Amino acid sequence: MSILSILHYPDPVLLTVGKPVADDEFNEELQTLVSDMFETMERASGVGLAAPQIGVSKRLFVMDVPVEDGTRERHVLVNPEIVRVEGEQTGDEGCLSFPGLYQVVQREMRVIARARNIEGKEFELDVADLAARCILHETDHCDGIVFLDRMTPLKRQLAKRKIKTLQKTGKWN
Ligand SMILES: [Zn+2]
């Protein structure tokens, strides 16, 4: 397994809509990519990592979210789709492509998502709280959307100012 390097905003791959994973791409290469993504995410102490974040412009992500009852929501979602959302949550959000930046983002509280697993089999997930936030955040990555786009204009302005400061002090790259 290998640790992949994580792209930082504003790398153009992060702002590009990912290509769906085709039927003939559910192979060993995809399995290696997913293993490397899990490894990379864990090393970076993240709860989610999407393919565009490691420079692969495809629609897939991995997640490993601790859930209240002590279990974890550990999944691979290939070609994810949001089927239904419910409610609202407001909380701090971070992103491995925005090192050191945390900002309040409003998201839906509950998400039903449909995706394919590593074998190409379709499945549905019904999750809430942090797992829901994670799925929405990572599906956005597959669409070339970053969490900056989900902030209120004021918070976005603050975030952009902070990014500039971090870039100047060399803490961004
Ligand atoms: Zn992210």
Side-chain angles (χ1 to χ4, degrees):
M1 277 195 276
S2 35
I3 303 291
L4 309 164
S5 57
I6 299 172
L7 301 180
H8 292 166
Y9 177 83
D11 192 287
V13 182
L14 293 170
L15 310 174
T16 303
V17 179
K19 283 205 181 76
V21 174
D23 287 348
D24 62 354
E25 289 181 289
F26 289 86
N27 50 26
E28 232 171 86
E29 203 182 315
L30 188 73
Q31 285 182 5
T32 305
L33 176 69
V34 165
S35 305
D36 289 348
M37 283 172 67
F38 268 117
E39 183 94 352
T40 304
M41 176 179 71
E42 273 154 32
R43 183 67 65 91
S45 305
V47 293
L49 182 70
Q53 292 182 276
I54 44 108
V56 176
S57 195
K58 283 187 185 164
R59 307 184 70 81
L60 78 131
F61 67 84
V62 296
M63 64 184 274
D64 190 356
V65 177
V67 184
E68 254 179 39
D69 64 3
T71 59
R72 307 184 78 92
E73 291 277 359
R74 192 176 198 265
H75 302 286
V76 184
L77 278 81
V78 182
N79 298 341
E81 277 172 69
I82 305 299
V83 180
R84 225 175 94 196
V85 290
E86 251 176 40
E88 264 176 21
Q89 59 173 316
T90 303
D92 266 353
E93 204 166 300
C95 178
L96 295 177
S97 296
F98 291 76
L101 185 81
Y102 296 89
Q103 192 54 274
V104 172
V105 179
Q106 194 172 313
R107 298 276 186 185
E108 283 85 6
M109 179 49 105
R110 181 181 167 209
V111 169
I112 298 175
R114 189 181 298 139
R116 294 172 76 178
N117 68 11
I118 191 73
E119 274 106 36
K121 219 173 150 195
E122 202 173 82
F123 70 104
E124 266 192 18
L125 271 180
D126 183 346
V127 296
D129 299 304
L130 183 60
R133 179 179 288 281
C134 181
I135 285 182
L136 292 164
H137 179 115
E138 303 307 333
T139 302
D140 272 355
H141 274 307
C142 298
D143 287 321
I145 296 167
V146 291
F147 80 143
L148 208 58
D149 303 321
R150 298 295 189 192
M151 294 172 193
T152 61
L154 182 67
K155 295 265 193 299
R156 190 179 309 131
Q157 223 178 350
L158 286 170
K160 282 190 168 170
R161 209 172 298 157
K162 194 167 177 212
I163 291 167
K164 267 196 189 138
T165 310
L166 288 167
Q167 281 170 331
K168 269 185 204 149
T169 54
K171 286 177 184 159
W172 193 257
N173 300 307

